[in-house]
Amino acid sequence: MKLNDSTTIPQLGFGTYLVPPEETAATVGAALEVGYRHIDTAQGYKNEAEVGEAVADSGIPRDEIYLTSKLQNGNHRRDDVIRTFEETLEKLRVDRLDLFLIHWPLPTRYDGDFVSTWKAMLELTADGRLTSVGVSNFQPDHLNQIVDATGLAPAVNQIEVHPYFRNEAARQASHDHAIAVEAWGPLGQGAVLDDATVAEIAAETGRAPSQVILRWHLQRGDIIFPKSMKRERMEENFAIFDFTLTPEQMTRIDALDQGESGRQGPNPDTFDMV
Ligand code: NAD
């Protein structure tokens, strides 16, 4: 997919949240063997070094793998942004990162000043060590604040999106600024996999429930990076480009939305863990 800064990103990637460091090199190595070329990690996942190990050991040229990391909540001050970005590059064993995100806006921390954090993130692109800058868990008013202050919109907004929580307000606000949506927790962190409607559509299409859900995301145009530590599931989640959901099947999945009560993760307006 093309981003608003004219770069491109693979629409399907591989997530690494809760992949323990001691299992990350083997897990990400398997994902690269399966064919994933987009890996999503974060300073807070404590597995950047092992992601870097897997990328180095794979022998795949650096420019063929899209790497994302995220600024940890305790690192929002300008000097910490610059310093810890360098640590992220070292851990990942790369001299350039494709995408770096503010992980959470933390509107109740740092005097509500995520604008300064955004400005520091923009500095990172000056010398080519960072290609694209984005945000994560930004609500519509958070996006408006950083765009109003700098005139520069993030390339992506990585937010919780899945059939039980479509998060349309944040998706729409992102699209209004030409920001691509990355849907984290695309399977509802597992919660949507046993859904009866998804099971019906899986039977109709002869596909696995996970494939039906991930295909729904693709057809909505969002970027996804499901996580699994099992190779068969990595393969299953990767095989979603050879079938299509009908508009009627898409609508039935749309109808599973539970609004705020469908949220699996924290609300970004109040989440303040540092
Ligand atoms: P997910 O929706 O990818 O679900 C993962 C769960 O589904 C795991 O329990 C896994 O075992 C199971 N699963 C995966 N494939 C399966 C299959 N084919 N069949 C059966 N079960 C399957 O949840 P996630 O890992 O939280 O989200 C994906 C990625 O998004 C993360 O790994 C991380 O990279 C990112 N993320 C970002 C944020 C953020 O705040 N920016 C928050 C959470 C996750």
Side-chain angles (χ1 to χ4, degrees):
M1 275 179 55
K2 195 156 186 188
L3 301 179
N4 64 13
D5 58 7
S6 299
T7 61
T8 56
I9 182 170
Q11 192 180 2
L12 175 64
F14 184 76
T16 64
Y17 176 51
L18 296 180
V19 180
E22 61 277 13
E23 294 179 62
T24 299
T27 301
V28 173
L32 292 169
E33 279 174 22
V34 166
Y36 292 89
R37 291 293 180 270
H38 164 185
I39 310 292
D40 182 88
T41 183
Q43 292 176 344
Y45 299 171
K46 308 288 182 206
N47 57 18
E48 288 175 307
E50 293 76 14
V51 170
E53 184 184 334
V55 169
D57 289 354
S58 72
I60 298 165
R62 166 69 188 94
D63 283 347
E64 291 178 20
I65 303 178
Y66 193 98
L67 288 175
T68 301
S69 192
K70 317 186 192 81
L71 182 77
Q72 199 168 4
N73 290 346
N75 298 333
H76 274 216
R77 292 196 176 83
R78 184 215 172 251
D79 291 355
D80 293 331
V81 172
I82 309 293
R83 178 180 55 79
T84 65
F85 174 70
E86 284 165 9
E87 290 172 5
T88 285
L89 290 182
E90 276 170 34
K91 286 181 180 160
L92 288 168
R93 303 191 203 176
V94 294
D95 50 21
R96 181 190 66 79
L97 186 65
D98 294 283
L99 177 64
F100 196 46
L101 312 178
I102 302 180
H103 205 150
W104 290 89
L106 306 175
T108 63
R109 293 263 178 194
Y110 301 101
D111 299 322
D113 181 17
F114 46 76
V115 168
S116 295
T117 309
W118 174 240
K119 288 178 179 167
M121 297 284 286
L122 291 171
E123 280 184 51
L124 299 172
T125 59
D127 60 7
R129 289 184 304 165
L130 178 62
T131 303
S132 297
V133 204
V135 296
S136 178
N137 299 302
F138 270 47
Q139 302 278 47
D141 64 309
H142 305 145
L143 293 176
N144 290 338
Q145 283 184 56
I146 59 172
V147 174
D148 286 351
T150 63
L152 291 168
V156 310
N157 187 16
Q158 183 178 128
I159 52 178
E160 179 179 346
V161 180
H162 47 77
Y164 288 170
F165 183 58
R166 279 171 31 202
N167 206 351
E168 294 297 358
R171 275 182 94 241
Q172 186 59 52
S174 303
H175 292 156
D176 290 344
H177 291 291
I179 301 166
V181 171
E182 295 194 328
W184 71 248
L187 302 169
Q189 302 190 311
V192 191
L193 284 165
D194 295 325
D195 184 84
T197 300
V198 170
E200 274 172 25
I201 297 173
E204 289 164 20
T205 53
R207 293 290 175 148
S210 67
Q211 293 177 316
V212 168
I213 300 163
L214 297 174
R215 183 70 210 179
W216 173 81
H217 285 282
L218 286 191
Q219 290 182 212
R220 279 157 55 87
D222 290 354
I223 298 158
I224 47 172
F225 23 85
K227 169 236 160 179
S228 173
M229 294 177 62
K230 297 196 172 77
R231 195 183 176 111
E232 321 82 76
R233 288 176 173 178
M234 293 177 196
E235 285 169 351
E236 188 170 82
N237 296 346
F238 197 69
I240 54 174
F241 293 97
D242 58 348
F243 76 111
T244 311
L245 297 174
T246 65
E248 186 267 340
Q249 287 167 332
M250 291 292 291
T251 305
R252 272 153 69 204
I253 302 174
D254 288 346
L256 300 176
D257 185 31
Q258 300 170 358
E260 273 300 318
S261 61
R263 223 189 243 286
Q264 305 295 306
N267 187 318
D269 287 322
T270 50
F271 184 65
D272 67 352
M273 200 178 75
V274 170

